[in-house]
Amino acid sequence: MLFRQLFDLDTCSYTYLVADAGTKVAALIDPVLEQVERDLKLLNELGLTLKFCLETHIHADHVTGTGKLRSLTECEGIVPENAHAACADRYLSHGDVLMVGDIKISAIETNGHTDSHMAYLVNDTHVLTGDALFIRGCGRTDFQSGDAGTLYDRVTQRLFTLPDDTLVYPAHDYRGQTVSTIGEEKQWNPRFVGKTRAAFIQFMNALDLPDPKKMMEAVPANEQCGRIDMTARSHPI
Ligand code: FE2
């Protein structure tokens, strides 16, 4: 498997490139609009064909690169079921498996940060946790129909039950961290360790964070799949 972690400095967002070295088929997870040229250059240099762009959820802090990538390549745009994005090519439900060549990507419904969110387990060894689980943290739950109790349940019951050596790759990091493991997060993540469900809810509801600076632009754009040129598509949405 070819696996790359890419970073957008402006929003501290990670994009992941997952590809099958044999068939050269590739997927991008959570691409960022401003980084589309970087991603296309890398795909080109590695001789890969982009088949899928997956979103872990509808982002509030950046505009997805999926719309532009769909207009420039033949890739499909895929979002979690119930995502407020009627323009997607495909929706994934909990337990669905997407094959990227010989690479298996399994969808794990991990709502709570938003009301439609998937983590993606790649080949049973790498879990892309989106904004459900960060390294020593987790995504906020105070907008986009987020729910702290649901996030607690999904993280503790669906992510922390993966094997301890599963590699954790989040959608963001704000402190220079790149990768963790499920075992490490179960032992050291301060949002969850030693916290009851009720204490977690109380903590999350008291965070009082400012809105992301691009929120007013990003959420409506992402509900349109990040589409910036409606005429570039060859088929109707
Ligand atoms: Fe998010």
Side-chain angles (χ1 to χ4, degrees), residues 1 18 96-106 120-126:
M1 174 171 67
V18 173
D96 281 354
V97 171
L98 179 74
M99 296 303 296
V100 181
D102 285 338
I103 310 292
K104 183 178 78 170
I105 297 183
S106 309
Y120 296 116
L121 180 62
V122 182
N123 268 359
D124 296 322
T125 53
H126 299 49

Side-chain angles (χ1 to χ4, degrees), residues 2-19 26-32 34-46 48 50 62 69 128 169-173 177-178:
L2 194 151
F3 183 89
R4 295 290 163 86
Q5 183 183 47
L6 302 153
F7 189 60
D8 177 60
L9 192 58
D10 187 38
T11 61
C12 295
S13 300
Y14 286 124
T15 296
Y16 296 95
L17 169 64
V18 173
L28 283 169
I29 296 91
D30 289 336
V32 173
E34 288 80 4
Q35 302 295 346
V36 163
E37 276 74 30
R38 174 202 66 188
D39 298 348
L40 285 172
K41 181 168 174 282
L42 180 60
L43 287 160
N44 190 39
E45 288 168 350
L46 297 177
L48 301 173
L50 183 64
H62 65 270
L69 287 160
L128 312 184
Y169 286 97
H172 298 285
D173 190 86
Q177 304 161 118
T178 55

Side-chain angles (χ1 to χ4, degrees), residues 71-135:
S71 70
L72 295 172
T73 74
E74 297 292 308
C75 74
E76 283 183 55
I78 303 177
V79 300
E81 66 173 346
N82 303 322
H84 305 284
C87 43
D89 292 306
R90 210 197 293 193
Y91 299 83
L92 289 182
S93 304
H94 180 64
D96 281 354
V97 171
L98 179 74
M99 296 303 296
V100 181
D102 285 338
I103 310 292
K104 183 178 78 170
I105 297 183
S106 309
I108 304 172
E109 185 260 280
T110 39
N111 291 351
H113 167 63
T114 58
D115 60 0
S116 66
H117 186 290
M118 291 287 165
Y120 296 116
L121 180 62
V122 182
N123 268 359
D124 296 322
T125 53
H126 299 49
V127 64
L128 312 184
T129 52
D131 289 8
L133 180 66
F134 294 155
I135 298 171

Side-chain angles (χ1 to χ4, degrees), residues 56-62 113-114 117 130-131 134 139-140 143-144 171-172:
T56 53
H57 63 294
I58 300 294
H59 302 277
D61 63 328
H62 65 270
H113 167 63
T114 58
H117 186 290
D131 289 8
F134 294 155
R140 61 198 291 176
F143 54 61
Q144 293 181 284
H172 298 285

